[in-house]
Amino acid sequence: MTKKALITGVTGQDGSYLAEFLLDKGYEVHGIKRRASLFNTQRVDHIYEDPQTDHARFRLHYGDLSDSSNLTRIMREVEPDEVYNLGAQSHVAVSFEAPEYTADVDAMGTLRLLEAIRFLGLEQKSRFYQASTSELYGLVQETPQRETTPFHPRSPYAVAKLYSYWIAVNYREAYGMYACNGILFNHESPRRGETFVTRKITRGLANIAQGLEECLYMGNIDSLRDWGHAKDYVRMQWMMLQQDTPEDFVIATGKQYSVRQFIAWSAAELGVTLAFSGDGLDEVATVTAIEGDEAPALNVGDVIMRIDPRYFRPAEVETLLGDPSKAKQKLGWEPEITVQEMCAEMVREDLKTARRHALLKEHGMDVPVSVEG
Ligand code: NDP
Ligand code: GDR
C-alpha cells in the first residue's frame, strides 16, 4: 500500500526538501499551499506533476492554517498516514511585528490540525509531526540544550511554538495519538528564505561581489547558533514517525558559531578576506585581501558590512547549542553536511544568481536586489 503524507508549509524550505524525500521513498505526497497574488511554489515547481495525470504522486491543495473547516476537508479527502506540520509564520523578528497572526497560525493552527484528525476519527491512523524549535529554549537554562532542558521562550513566535509543543504532547497523552515534536535547531540551505541571517549574508555578499549592492547591514553578529543543513534535518523528521512509540527529539549538530564567523566564511568562499573592527553599533568589516575572480566589484579597503540597529530584536536569543545524543543513540541519526560545506553551497548558488543579475544589469535591465530581514 502506498503511504500518504500531508505536509503543511510544503512551499517552504523544509517542506520542499521533505516532499522530495518522501516522493523518493514512494509516498503519495499532499501539500497545503496558500493562495497568493504571485506564484509561491518556486521551491516545489521541479516536483510538480500535472494533476490531469492519474498517477500524480505530488498534489497541492489550497489551504491555510487559520481555517479549520478547510483543514478538516483536506484531512478528510487525503486521510494521511503521516501529517507533517511545517507551516508557520517562521520569522522571529516578524513575530514581534505581527504577534497575533503568529499566534493564530503557529499555535492555533496546530490545534486545528490535531482537532481535524480527532474529529475525523483518524487518531490511530494519522501520525503527527510538529515542527518545534530551539527557540523554545530562548533564555537558555542549560548548555548544551537537550530534550529535558527547561524552556524560556523570548519572542511571540517562540511562545506560540511553545503552545504547539505542549498541545502535541497533550494529544499524545490524552488520546493516544502518535504525535511527536522535533526540536530543531537552525537549519539552512540554498532554499532558505532570503531574510534569515545565513541567506541574507550569502545572497548579500554574492550581490556585493558582483557590484549589485554596496554593503550588508546586519543586527547582532555576536549571536551564536548551531546551524545544520535542511536536507539532513528533514530525514530526521521522517525517522521520528517510523518508531514504535512517539517521542520528542532534539535535532542539532552540537557545534556552535557566531554570525560574524558565518560572514567571514561566506566572504572567504568568494575569495575575500575580511577584518572586523570597531565595537557595537560601530563595528564594520573591511576587505583586506582578494583572491581569484569571484568578486570583480570589490577592492581592498572596501567596507562591506555595517551594523544597523533596525535588525536588533526587542528580546534576543543570544546563544543556542543543541545536544543531539538522543537522536544519535535511539535513531542512529547524524548530520552528514557540515556548516562550512553548507555555507559554501549557499554562496555558490547565490553567486550564480548574482552573476545572471549582473549580466542583466549590464544590458540595462532592472534587477531587484535589496531585502529587509
Ligand atoms: P519557511 O518560512 O521556509 O516555510 C514556512 C511555510 O509555512 C511556507 O510554506 C509558508 O507558505 C507556510 N505558511 C505560512 N503561513 C501559513 C499559513 N497561515 N497557513 C498555511 N501555511 C503557511 O520555514 P522553514 O521551512 O524554514 O521551517 C519549517 C517549519 O519548521 C516552520 O514551522 C518553522 O517555524 C520550523 N522551524 C524551522 C527551523 C529552521 O531553522 N528552518 C528550526 C526549527 C523550527 P508560503 O510559502 O506561502 O509563505
Ligand atoms: P532565528 O534565525 O531567529 O534563529 O530563527 P535568523 O536567521 O533570523 O537569526 C539568527 C540570529 O542572527 C541574528 N541576526 C540577524 N538575523 C536576521 N534575520 N537578520 C539580520 O540582519 C541579523 N543580524 C543578526 C538574529 O538576531 C539571531 O540571533 C530561525 C527560524 O528559522 C525559526 O523559524 C526557527 O525556529 C529557528 O531558526 C530555530
Side-chain angles (χ1 to χ4, degrees), residues 7-312:
I7 305 176
T8 71
V10 74
T11 56
Q13 170 187 257
D14 288 15
S16 64
Y17 283 117
L18 181 65
E20 279 171 9
F21 178 88
L22 294 174
L23 287 169
D24 272 357
K25 289 229 165 276
Y27 279 67
E28 183 177 307
V29 177
H30 294 256
I32 296 185
K33 70 167 173 177
R34 297 195 287 175
R35 141 76 194 158
S37 66
L38 292 170
F39 289 123
N40 60 355
T41 53
Q42 293 88 330
R43 292 188 179 102
V44 288
D45 282 344
H46 61 290
I47 49 174
Y48 177 80
E49 290 179 77
D50 189 340
Q52 308 305 330
T53 327
D54 281 351
H55 306 298
R57 282 197 297 120
F58 180 60
R59 297 187 194 176
L60 292 176
H61 306 254
Y62 278 113
D64 199 296
L65 283 161
S66 62
D67 182 343
S68 12
S69 56
N70 155 274
L71 295 173
T72 308
R73 186 180 49 73
I74 297 171
M75 197 74 77
R76 192 187 60 201
E77 234 171 86
V78 178
E79 294 201 349
D81 299 286
E82 295 170 12
V83 178
Y84 295 88
N85 183 28
L86 310 182
Q89 190 302 93
S90 72
H91 203 284
V92 172
V94 172
S95 76
F96 287 98
E97 308 287 327
E100 186 180 329
Y101 172 73
T102 304
D104 190 27
V105 174
D106 298 12
M108 288 302 119
T110 308
L111 178 67
R112 290 181 186 113
L113 272 178
L114 288 165
E115 273 296 282
I117 293 175
R118 205 165 75 88
F119 177 75
L120 295 167
L122 295 172
E123 299 97 317
Q124 300 310 314
K125 174 176 170 75
S126 301
R127 295 187 167 199
F128 187 83
Y129 173 85
Q130 172 56 24
S132 284
T133 164
S134 50
E135 287 292 300
L136 297 176
Y137 300 117
L139 195 62
V140 300
Q141 311 289 305
E142 176 186 38
T143 297
Q145 294 86 52
R146 44 194 175 146
E147 290 77 5
T148 50
T149 303
F151 298 136
H152 184 137
R154 292 270 283 172
S155 63
Y157 165 79
V159 173
K161 284 282 187 177
L162 185 65
Y163 176 86
S164 285
Y165 172 91
W166 281 117
I167 202 69
V169 172
N170 181 245
Y171 273 50
R172 178 167 82 210
E173 293 173 353
Y175 305 116
M177 279 179 61
Y178 191 113
C180 334
N181 287 286
I183 307 173
L184 271 58
F185 283 62
N186 299 53
H187 48 280
E188 322 289 314
S189 73
R191 294 187 199 164
R192 184 61 146 148
E194 286 91 343
T195 58
F196 296 97
V197 79
T198 54
R199 187 74 198 288
K200 176 171 171 180
I201 294 166
T202 58
R203 182 177 180 272
L205 291 185
N207 281 341
I208 292 168
Q210 291 293 315
L212 296 165
E213 283 182 66
E214 286 188 354
C215 190
L216 191 58
Y217 292 92
M218 301 297 303
N220 174 20
I221 62 171
D222 289 319
S223 175
L224 298 165
R225 286 291 182 276
D226 176 334
W227 283 295
H229 197 296
K231 264 192 183 170
D232 278 332
Y233 286 38
V234 300
R235 190 173 73 249
M236 181 59 196
Q237 294 171 2
W238 172 78
M239 288 170 91
M240 283 179 64
L241 293 196
Q242 313 309 313
Q243 306 310 304
D244 291 336
T245 43
E247 281 185 68
D248 306 322
F249 288 89
V250 159
I251 311 300
T253 68
K255 297 198 176 71
Q256 185 190 55
Y257 301 96
S258 68
V259 172
R260 189 183 289 100
Q261 176 66 69
F262 199 91
I263 297 173
W265 283 331
S266 304
E269 194 56 32
L270 294 163
V272 173
T273 309
L274 295 177
F276 291 85
S277 59
D279 283 331
L281 293 180
D282 293 327
E283 183 164 357
V284 295
T286 311
V287 175
T288 56
I290 302 172
E291 268 177 33
D293 54 7
E294 311 283 34
L298 282 181
N299 295 300
V300 169
D302 288 350
V303 170
I304 61 167
M305 191 236 42
R306 293 180 192 280
I307 304 297
D308 184 335
R310 264 191 313 161
Y311 299 118
F312 284 79

